[in-house]
Amino acid sequence: MSKLRYYDNASKSPAGKIGRAIYTEFLRTGRIDRKPEDWNQQERRYLTHAEVAARTGKRLEAAGETTCARINGFHKAIRFPKLIFHRTLSDSPHLGYCHVTAARTRFPGAKSDITWSFYLANFFAEIGADDEQFFRRVSLSYSRMYFAVATEPGQAGGDLTINRTIRPNGVLFQTHDPKDALKNVLLLGARNEDLRKIVKAL
C-alpha cells in the first residue's frame, strides 16, 4: 500500500491572494469567482507522518478525557480509573485509537474476575480476529467506534494480551453509538444488581 501524503489545510488560502476587487465583485453580483490561479499549488505545505500522528493523538486523547468524565459522572458508586493513552495506525496516522480505562468484572457463573480495557477509535473495523492484525477491514463509514476487550497478562509478564476465553476475539462489546457504549461500560462497572437495573433503564 502506497504511503498517504497529508497537507496543511491552513495553507490552502495563501495570504495576499485575495484582493479588493474580489470583495467589490461579491458586493456587486453576490458571487465569488473561485479561479484555479487564486490558489498556488506550490504553497501547499505537506505534513510528515509524525506531525499527522501527533495531531491525531491530541484529538483522540481529548475525546478519551471527555468520555472518561462522562462515564464517571453517571453514578457515584460506579467509578473507573482514568488511563488515557493512544496509538495511531502506522500507514494511516490520521486514524487511531485511545485507551480510556481498564477495570475488573465478574460475569454471572464465572469463578474469577475478568480484566478488560475500554477504547475509542476514529474509524470502524473488525476487531481481534488475530494477534498479528488486531484491526481488519478498516472503514470510515462511522466517525467513531467504541469497544471493550478482555485482557490478561502476557506470557513474559509484559504487555497485556487478548483474553480469548470469553469470546474468540476477546471483544466484550463494539458499537459506533456513544450512548450504547456508555451503557455497556456502566454495566461492566456495576457491582450489584440494583446498579445494573439503573443502568439498564437508560
Side-chain angles (χ1 to χ4, degrees):
M1 180 178 162
S2 61
K3 284 205 167 186
L4 297 170
R5 295 181 75 195
Y6 302 86
Y7 68 91
D8 190 351
N9 264 340
S11 64
K12 206 169 180 180
S13 302
K17 288 288 177 186
I18 299 176
R20 191 182 296 261
I22 289 177
Y23 294 112
T24 307
E25 190 69 10
F26 173 76
L27 292 172
R28 192 174 66 78
T29 65
R31 290 182 316 215
I32 295 177
D33 187 16
R34 301 185 187 278
K35 297 176 185 170
E37 56 266 25
D38 288 339
W39 176 35
N40 184 355
Q41 180 81 11
Q42 293 180 350
E43 296 203 23
R44 199 185 254 196
R45 186 179 88 78
Y46 285 93
L47 301 171
T48 65
H49 276 215
E51 287 176 308
V52 175
R55 291 182 182 196
T56 303
K58 283 183 183 176
R59 290 185 185 128
L60 287 168
E61 290 194 2
E65 295 269 355
T66 302
T67 303
C68 193
R70 282 187 184 150
I71 61 177
N72 279 332
F74 176 75
H75 195 285
K76 62 183 180 182
I78 306 175
R79 287 287 180 269
F80 297 92
K82 184 167 72 171
L83 301 167
I84 308 285
F85 62 87
H86 76 277
R87 299 284 183 273
T88 56
L89 305 190
S90 57
D91 290 334
S92 305
H94 65 291
L95 301 177
Y97 59 96
C98 180
H99 183 282
V100 179
T101 189
R104 290 175 172 270
T105 298
R106 182 166 295 191
F107 291 104
K111 294 179 181 178
S112 60
D113 289 350
I114 296 294
T115 305
W116 53 271
S117 293
F118 171 56
Y119 298 85
L120 63 85
N122 64 357
F123 58 88
F124 202 86
E126 290 180 12
I127 303 173
D130 56 65
D131 288 325
E132 288 183 14
Q133 190 177 7
F134 188 68
F135 297 112
R136 294 181 64 193
R137 297 193 179 125
V138 172
S139 166
L140 302 179
S141 56
Y142 297 108
S143 61
R144 288 248 173 104
M145 169 175 69
Y146 304 87
F147 60 98
V149 180
T151 59
E152 60 185 353
Q155 290 181 350
D159 292 340
L160 294 175
T161 59
I162 299 172
N163 181 347
R164 300 182 187 275
T165 59
I166 302 292
R167 292 181 182 159
N169 62 359
V171 177
L172 301 178
F173 73 83
Q174 177 185 8
T175 181
H176 63 88
D177 183 353
K179 186 177 178 181
D180 191 35
L182 175 68
K183 192 171 182 177
N184 277 292
V185 172
L186 292 172
L187 283 171
L188 287 171
R191 295 288 179 189
N192 56 57
E193 195 54 40
D194 289 337
L195 283 172
R196 288 190 191 95
K197 284 178 183 176
I198 294 170
V199 174
K200 286 175 183 175
L202 280 175

